[in-house]
């Protein structure tokens, strides 16, 4: 069970270290054998590509333990071609950790996606969000056909961005090479609803699919 300390106006970073001591005394101590096993070797089953947003902690929202999910998070869960960081995470995951499932998980209420839609100028964030431009073009085209409320537009854009990033993932040379020789890694597009706590499946990419 998660234990949430009361939010205090007088915040101190020491709270995180106190939280760690609590974790060590309770969860870690209780499942010592499990942590001992993972200390010897990690065998994560999923590569999670998510947003850096503090409200989308992959382990907590999927009910997972340390050792189960290999993680890459950035602003607006973008799979960028020119990013050695994400490329090395993907390479390490599929080549060395033998992970067979990769999920790109976006979330409603995403500040990065709002910035993509509303515009943000002369910042690194603006450059970064250019990679998600195709998702905005799709939603703009839809908005010309029918009226979308502000919230509906935002949700559509979050979803289109996930679909776009899954396609980016499928176009990675390394992933294509794996797909040519088999059906894995399977690519999943998910969206997390910060209002309900639910993760919904948007897309599941298959070879030739
Ligand atoms: Zn976000």
């Amino acid at each position: 069970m998660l234990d949430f300390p009361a939010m205090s106006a007088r915040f101190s970073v020491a709270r995180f270290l106190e939280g760690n001591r609590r974790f060590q005394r309770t969860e870690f101590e209780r499942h010592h054998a499990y942590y001992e096993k993972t200390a010897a070797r990690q065998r994560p089953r999923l590569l999670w590509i998510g947003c850096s947003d503090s409200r989308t902690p992959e382990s907590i929202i999927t009910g997972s333990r340390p050792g189960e999910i290999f993680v890459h998070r950035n602003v607006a869960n973008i799979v960028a071609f020119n990013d050695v960081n994400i490329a090395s995470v993907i390479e390490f995951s599929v080549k060395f950790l033998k992970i067979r499932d990769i999920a790109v998980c976006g979330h409603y209420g995403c500040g990065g996606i709002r910035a993509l839609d509303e515009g943000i100028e002369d910042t690194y964030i603006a450059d970064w969000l250019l990679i998600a431009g195709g998702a905005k073009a799709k939603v703009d085209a839809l908005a010309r056909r029918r009226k979308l409320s502000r919230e509906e537009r935002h949700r559509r854009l979050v979803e289109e961005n996930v679909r776009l990033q899954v396609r980016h993932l499928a176009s990675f040379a390394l992933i294509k090479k794996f797909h040519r020789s088999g059906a894995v890694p399977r690519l999943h597009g998910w969206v997390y609803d910060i209002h309900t706590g639910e993760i919904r499946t948007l897309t599941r990419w298959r070879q030739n699919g």
Side-chain angles (χ1 to χ4, degrees):
M1 281 293 274
L2 293 170
D3 176 27
F4 292 107
M7 292 288 236
S8 161
R10 285 172 55 219
F11 170 77
S12 162
V13 80
R15 205 192 76 194
F16 294 108
L17 294 173
E18 286 159 17
N20 169 253
R21 306 289 179 266
R22 224 173 21 252
F23 162 79
Q24 198 185 14
R25 281 196 309 268
T26 55
E27 160 73 17
F28 198 90
E29 195 54 45
R30 237 188 333 259
H31 304 285
H32 191 74
Y34 173 80
Y35 285 103
E36 195 59 28
K37 211 168 86 187
T38 56
R41 188 187 171 195
Q42 66 163 331
R43 284 200 62 192
R45 302 296 186 163
L46 178 71
L47 167 59
W48 174 279
I49 299 174
C51 183
S52 299
D53 194 303
S54 61
R55 298 163 299 177
T56 62
E58 68 294 325
S59 294
I60 293 176
I61 64 178
T62 60
S64 307
R65 278 188 181 170
E68 292 186 293
I69 307 180
F70 203 65
V71 179
H72 177 89
R73 289 169 64 179
N74 61 43
V75 171
N77 42 273
I78 284 171
V79 178
F81 290 112
N82 56 353
D83 182 7
V84 181
N85 183 353
I86 194 167
S88 57
V89 167
I90 293 167
E91 183 173 45
F92 191 66
S93 303
V94 297
K95 225 169 153 176
F96 299 102
L97 294 173
K98 313 282 185 207
I99 288 177
R100 299 158 72 94
D101 289 276
I102 306 177
V104 175
C105 189
H107 68 102
Y108 301 128
C110 182
I113 292 299
R114 286 207 197 283
L116 168 69
D117 204 20
E118 289 158 18
I120 178 169
E121 283 171 12
D122 303 329
T123 65
Y124 286 114
I125 303 168
D127 290 347
W128 178 246
L129 293 173
L130 283 175
I131 307 162
K136 181 166 159 34
K138 270 207 158 176
V139 174
D140 284 341
L142 177 68
R144 281 193 291 274
R145 293 198 300 275
R146 71 178 185 83
K147 194 166 165 47
L148 299 173
S149 71
R150 189 169 182 267
E151 189 51 25
E152 200 180 350
R153 182 181 166 87
H154 172 73
R155 291 170 81 96
R156 285 280 185 157
L157 193 46
V158 166
E159 293 164 9
E160 283 305 331
N161 180 51
V162 167
R163 292 191 181 96
L164 177 65
Q165 304 313 330
V166 170
R167 287 200 295 279
H168 284 174
L169 198 49
S171 331
F172 257 67
L174 179 71
I175 298 289
K176 284 208 301 212
K177 194 174 142 203
F178 268 84
H179 282 165
R180 272 198 297 274
S181 57
V184 293
R186 292 173 289 265
L187 311 181
H188 312 267
W190 293 348
V191 65
Y192 174 63
D193 191 329
I194 58 170
H195 298 285
T196 65
E198 182 190 10
I199 293 176
R200 273 198 313 121
T201 298
L202 286 180
T203 168
R204 192 197 242 169
W205 192 91
R206 290 191 188 83
Q207 206 174 5
N208 305 318

